Each structure stands twice: as structure tokens, then as C-alpha cells.
Amino acid sequence: MSATDRPVVFRNGLVLTMDDAHTVLPGADVLVVGDRIAEVGVGLTAPDDALEMDATGGILMPGMVDTHRHMWQTAMRGYGADWALTQYFVWYYLESGKLFRPEDVYAGNLLGAIEAIDAGVTTTVDWSHGLQTPEHADAAVDALEAVDGRFVLAYGNIQQGPWQWATSPEFRDFHRRRIDGGRLAGFQMAFDVTGDPAFPERAAFEVARELGAAVTTHAGVWGATNDDGIRLMHENGFMTPSTVYVHAATLTHDSYNRIAATGGSVSVSTESEQSAGQGYPPTWQLRHHDIPVSLSMDTSVWWSGDLFSAMRSTLGADRSREHLEAHAKQETITHCHLRAEQVVEWATRGGARALGMDSTIGALTVGRQADVVLIKNDASPVMFPILNPHGHVVFQAQRGDVHTVLVGGRVVKQDGRLVGVDLAAARAAVASTIDHLRETMGEEAWQRGMNPDVPETAILENPYQYTEWDAGSAQWKH
């Protein structure tokens, strides 16, 4: 990735620096030279050839960071809208996920990468657990390298145990060819720990340690991963500050204590946890254990691919649980612990810290990489007044308000339109994938997968029979 040839200066914006003090600068400028932030302040002097961008009425913030996104599934956007986690596991792990060809992984990753930068998510972890062969892995990287974003490949394969794929010569060859000296922003190994007392995942952890790769793992997922997995990781010395625990929604205090003691972080996917059933979004627990948090959207097969939705749902879920816990004790919450400012921190600096990139991204401070997002929409009545800027980002803004995006000083979106992106090619690739899946599965299976059975609802007997309202006919009885 190369920066634009010209310096870029944003003028007269409301700047959320997300520095250590969370400094907010009204009517300020941000100057980008090369791939770095050169200055932040009011009335900056810019080089004569600088590209000037009017940020008046807008919010300037760091690029957002998503620490867990199954990008290969993006081609099936919305297909699983009515799924629970059971349908997801059956469809992808046991049945139709095996039908994905390398070109289908490419199509999903390409669309997912474009979608991320369009929504101001400048750094994304591709939790790529559909890499059945080296060809699938090459296709995933090819797609990520075709888009001017910052991407971390988290390599996984749900069709094999991690002790199998991680120790294979093909995996080592892939790592040598595509990761060592490659163009990606980072590399992780993505696998889960089931809690099997034999701890077969040890072999994969040992490979990760040898390669210097962080491990990202779905932990605390109801019915899938539990406290035994955390205990085994801890007892065998594989919990490290670089380990990212995804969801972590059904763990005990002991497991949270182990995560806190070893310096790990949790990637919270609130929309996913609320809808699919991994467990209640755990930020209310993580706050009590002082465990670092980052945010993620999980997969577009269900949910929105932006972090505005993630921030909004996370704040709502945390406050809802805080109220419910208080109500159960006949108490009333009068002051919310979790604030909008903290959730914006999780969406930016939190992700940067989780990925070991806190010195380079996640804040608008001098010397950091110029990952900059301008939220501005002069045609929207929702973009004024801006009274509480962090609250505005969380509760008012949305992806359609992302006006301009820079990644490493390079303009990838301007005036609400993507720059240098061939959407027609992405659309064609995705259409080919959908055609392949429908034809291979058959239309009946395709429709059945998208529309799982609706459980019967038992209507409770109502003892109050004096009403004249007839629910069946929706009218008053005469």
C-alpha cells in the first residue's frame, strides 16, 4: 500500500483524537504527509500542493478496527438472517461449507474487504476458517491484497482439527510464501479449544509459538467451547497477552481471571451473541475483571458489516444487563457505568491494542499511520447538532455518513464514494459463487437452509375472560 502523492489536510472538523486523554478538538485540522499523521491542531499550515478536504460539520476519528470477521462468508450476505448458532454450525461446518471453492473464498473476501473500508473500518481481522486447501488460502490473501485496506489473516480450517492443518507441510509452505515478507498487516492462527482432556490443540499452539503468531479463538460459546478449554490453555502455558478470545460469553469468574492475569483481550461481537446464542454479550463481566475489549461484527451471513452497529448494540446490551442485575436486587441504576466514549475507544484503540498495533494505528496523533475517517453528511438532518461527539458516533451516525476514508495516507473513499474499487467485478464474483452453491445444493436445499423451521409457540391460558375483544377476528364482540 502506498500513500497518495499529495499531502492531505482536513479542515475545520471536530476531531476525536482517541489519544490517552481522549482529547476532542473542535474546529481543528488534521494534516497527513505520506502515510503518517504530520500534525493535528487548529489553523495548521499545509504544503501548497496539499489536497484540502472541508470537514466542517463533520467528525474526524481514527479508522475503526474489527478483530473478528469471517470475510469468506460475505458472499452469502443476509442468507442466515433467521438462523440460530445451530443452523450456522450445521450449514458451514457439517454440510454446505465444504462446497466453497477457492474462487468462492476470493469472492467473499473481496466483497468483505471493500465493505469494511466503505464503513470506515480500516483494519480488519479476516477470521478465515474456510481454508480447506492451500489454494483456498492463496485465494483469501489474493483478495485481501487487491483492496487498499489493512488486513490481518487469521488462518483456520473448520474441516480439520488444528493439530492436523497447523502441522502440515502445506501450511508451513503457505506461511513461507505468503506471510513472511508479505503485504498483509499481520497474521494469526484461528482455532478453537474444545476442552478435550487430551488437549490435542497443543500441537497447533506449539506451531503458533514457533512462528511467533498470535492465536485467536472462539471461547465461552454456549455448547461449543467452555471453561475447560481456558483451563487447559492456562495450565499448559499457552495464554499470552497476544491471545484474542472471541465472544467469551459463558465463562466463569475463574476463566475471566485467567484471561486478565495473562494479559489477553476479548473480541466482543454483540449482535452475534445476542442473536445467535453464544451467550449474553460479556462486556458487563469484562469491565469487572478489567479485561481489554475490542469489537467485531462476526459475519455478514447474519449482520451488518459495520462497527456503528457493533458500538450501538454493545452499549445497549451492557446497559440492559446492568439494569436487569439491579432490578433483580430491587435496586435502580441511576448512572450508567459504560459510556459512549468507552465504546468508541473499543472500536479504535481497543482493536489496535488487541492486534499489537497500538503504536501505529487507532488514534489521530502525530507519527501514527494515517488511518482517518471523516463522518459527514450535509444532506442528513441527523448530522446536526453535534453536542456529544462520542455519543453521536455511537447512536446517530451510520455507514452512509462515512464521507472520506484514508488508509495509510491513501484516499480509499472520498465524498461518499469508494476510490479505485471495481464493484462490478466484485458483484460478478459473488454472483458466480451464489450460482455455484444453488446449483450444487439444489434449489430445495438452498431454500430450506435459508428458512429454518419456526418452533411452535404455546399460547398460555388467559384467566381474564371478561373482555369483549375477539383476538381471532380482531374486533369487538357485539
Side-chain angles (χ1 to χ4, degrees), residues 193-196 199 225-234 239:
V193 182
T194 63
D196 182 343
F199 193 43
T225 55
N226 54 38
D227 297 290
D228 286 334
I230 298 294
R231 177 182 55 78
L232 287 166
M233 290 175 62
H234 188 249
M239 294 179 74

Side-chain angles (χ1 to χ4, degrees), residues 70-77 79 83 88 90-109 128-137 139-140 157-159 299 301 429-430 432-438 440-441 446:
H70 304 299
M71 297 174 71
W72 65 287
Q73 297 170 357
T74 311
M76 296 183 64
R77 183 190 310 287
Y79 180 90
W83 281 356
Y88 176 85
V90 169
W91 205 97
Y92 278 111
Y93 284 61
L94 301 178
E95 296 179 354
S96 304
K98 302 174 183 179
L99 301 177
F100 278 67
R101 307 163 299 179
E103 54 263 47
D104 303 320
V105 170
Y106 179 92
N109 269 28
S128 201
H129 58 352
L131 306 183
Q132 304 175 58
T133 69
E135 290 74 27
H136 287 77
N157 178 3
I158 55 177
Q159 303 304 330
T299 170
V301 79
V430 167
S432 176
T433 288
I434 298 305
D435 288 345
H436 161 69
L437 292 173
R438 295 182 81 150
T440 306
M441 293 173 61
W446 172 265

Side-chain angles (χ1 to χ4, degrees), residues 277-295:
Q278 291 91 343
Y280 198 91
T283 54
W284 66 289
Q285 287 274 37
L286 303 176
R287 288 190 288 104
H288 290 298
H289 291 84
D290 197 25
I291 294 174
V293 176
S294 63
L295 300 184

Side-chain angles (χ1 to χ4, degrees), residues 203-225:
F205 279 109
E206 289 173 342
V207 172
R209 179 174 290 172
E210 180 185 344
L211 296 177
V215 170
T216 177
T217 183
H218 293 118
V221 174
W222 181 262
T225 55

Side-chain angles (χ1 to χ4, degrees), residues 323-406:
H323 289 300
L324 285 171
E325 293 291 318
H327 296 172
K329 296 182 289 186
Q330 301 300 305
E331 297 174 354
T332 299
I333 295 295
T334 59
H335 294 75
C336 296
H337 280 84
L338 186 61
R339 303 303 175 97
E341 182 177 338
Q342 183 61 57
V343 177
V344 177
E345 158 94 7
W346 288 347
T348 53
R349 291 289 293 277
R353 292 190 187 104
L355 301 179
M357 299 181 183
D358 189 40
S359 64
T360 56
I361 64 172
L364 298 183
T365 58
V366 173
R368 270 186 165 84
Q369 285 282 321
D371 294 1
V372 184
V373 172
L374 171 60
I375 300 172
K376 177 180 176 177
N377 188 344
D378 292 338
S380 170
V382 178
M383 283 308 295
F384 65 89
I386 300 175
L387 306 177
N388 179 336
H390 296 100
H392 209 99
V393 168
V394 174
F395 282 129
Q396 307 299 324
Q398 54 188 312
R399 80 160 71 216
D401 300 319
V402 175
H403 180 281
T404 297
V405 180
L406 269 63

Side-chain angles (χ1 to χ4, degrees), residues 71 78 107 122 126 135 138 140 142 145 148 151 153 162 181 185 236 256 266 270 284 312 365 405 413 429 446 468:
M71 297 174 71
T122 54
D126 174 25
E135 290 74 27
D138 281 324
D142 287 345
E145 291 183 345
D148 282 322
F151 301 105
L153 179 72
N236 288 276
Y256 289 126
V266 170
T270 303
W284 66 289
R312 189 169 302 151
T365 58
V405 180
K413 185 177 184 180
W446 172 265
E468 296 298 316

Side-chain angles (χ1 to χ4, degrees), residues 76-84 275-276 300-303 449-452:
M76 296 183 64
R77 183 190 310 287
Y79 180 90
D82 293 321
W83 281 356
S275 180
S300 290
V301 79
W302 264 294
W303 302 289
M450 186 164 44
N451 299 286

